Structures are given as structure tokens and as C-alpha cells.
Amino acid sequence: MRKGHRMRDDGRSGCPINATIEVIGDRWTLLVLRDVMFGNRRYFRELLAGSEEGIASNILSDRLKRLVAAGLLSREDTRPGQKTEYRLTEPAIELVPIMAHLGAWGLRHRPTTKRLRVRAELLEEGGPQLWNEFMDELRESHLGIPRPDPSGPRATERLAQAYAAAIVES
């Protein structure tokens, strides 16, 4: 080992970008998080059936296990025969600005459809204020932490309305 270079036990290097990529760097992981975050899908079957990209059940199962192990999702322990519910954790909720930036980059540099780009447009237009409102709502619905300001239109409602309007226009 080179002098001054220390390998970390939990990753390839101590680089924060690498550490993040090791957790969320594959395509399916981000899409599962997207569907829990923006689609409010919390159960395996909802995630499988609602996948725009057609995720295979074995890949979904693997990614859910990885996300739980990485601390980005929590898994509600259930008795046999009950559905397992997945919830975002605080570290996953803090990815909202990154998801918004990824969506904004995709809007500018990749071909997209109106129906699937509308949320990214709204998040880009709304900026950090909308992201923070959305994160507060996710904290409320996934972690049980009341929103600081429960008055006014909800960010999730604005996102859902924009998506519904885009479907009608399609």
C-alpha cells in the first residue's frame, strides 16, 4: 500500500463520490428509489407492476435487499402471508435534490416523453424550496415526522396533478 493511502473496509476508497456510487450507482437502485419516492410505491408487487422500465422480480428483490442493507429503505417485519412494506429512511429522503438534478440533466441532454418528464420539469422549476417541501412530506409519510408547515398545497399533490395532466395530454 502506498504511503498516505488508506483503504477503507467498507468500500474501494475513502472518496465520498465512490462511496455514494457503491450504494446507488447502478441503474435499478436509483429507479427503485425513484418509484418509492415519487410513485409512493411501498410494496414489492406495486414496485414490480409499476416499473416503467420493466424490472425483473429477481432484480427488484435484490435491489430491495441492498437498499435495506445500505440503510436507504427500512423494511417492516411482517408475519407470513402479510405484505412487506418498504419505507424511505432519512438518508434516502436526502437524495431528493440529487434526483431532481439527475432529472434536470436528463431533460436537457436526453430524449424523454412528456408524460415522464413532467415531474422533473416541476422539480427543476420549483428548485430547493419545492425539494424541501417534498422532503418534509416524505419524512411525514415514511418516518412519521410532522411537517413544519402543514398549510398550503402539498408538493406531492402538485407533482401528482402535473403527472395526471400530462397523461391526459398524451
Side-chain angles (χ1 to χ4, degrees):
M1 189 179 323
R2 293 189 325 246
K3 186 177 180 178
H5 176 77
R6 203 171 82 214
M7 191 66 165
R8 297 185 40 94
D9 292 338
D10 58 347
R12 289 185 205 138
S13 72
C15 171
I17 293 172
N18 177 67
T20 303
I21 296 297
E22 286 184 0
V23 176
I24 64 167
D26 76 274
R27 168 186 186 215
W28 293 113
T29 299
L30 283 173
L31 295 178
V32 170
L33 283 173
R34 175 205 64 193
D35 289 349
V36 175
M37 220 177 254
F38 297 102
N40 196 29
R41 298 184 188 122
R42 297 186 190 212
Y43 300 96
F44 183 90
R45 292 278 172 226
E46 287 177 337
L47 289 160
L48 188 63
S51 171
E52 289 283 339
E53 295 76 17
I55 192 169
S57 62
N58 62 325
I59 293 172
L60 176 58
S61 178
D62 178 70
R63 291 322 182 274
L64 289 169
K65 286 176 190 168
R66 287 185 192 193
L67 286 163
V68 170
L72 294 176
L73 290 179
S74 64
R75 182 177 190 261
E76 196 67 30
D77 288 329
T78 58
R79 295 187 304 270
Q82 287 185 317
K83 292 183 192 178
T84 299
E85 180 180 9
Y86 294 92
R87 292 177 179 252
L88 297 168
T89 63
E90 180 62 27
I93 291 168
E94 290 176 12
L95 288 171
V96 165
I98 291 168
M99 298 292 246
H101 283 292
L102 286 171
W105 186 91
L107 288 171
R108 287 190 298 281
H109 301 290
R110 306 302 301 162
T112 59
T113 64
K114 177 66 178 162
R115 181 175 64 87
L116 296 176
R117 70 184 283 135
V118 65
R119 287 184 186 133
E121 290 170 341
L122 188 59
L123 285 166
E124 184 175 34
E125 291 165 13
Q129 180 178 341
L130 179 60
W131 308 341
N132 287 326
E133 290 170 15
F134 183 56
M135 288 189 293
D136 286 340
E137 290 175 29
L138 290 173
R139 287 182 185 103
E140 183 176 60
S141 66
H142 288 263
L143 304 175
I145 299 170
R147 290 183 298 143
D149 181 17
S151 63
R154 297 175 60 94
T156 50
E157 290 169 357
R158 295 195 322 249
L159 290 166
Q161 288 169 354
Y163 182 70
I167 289 174
V168 171
E169 292 175 14
S170 300

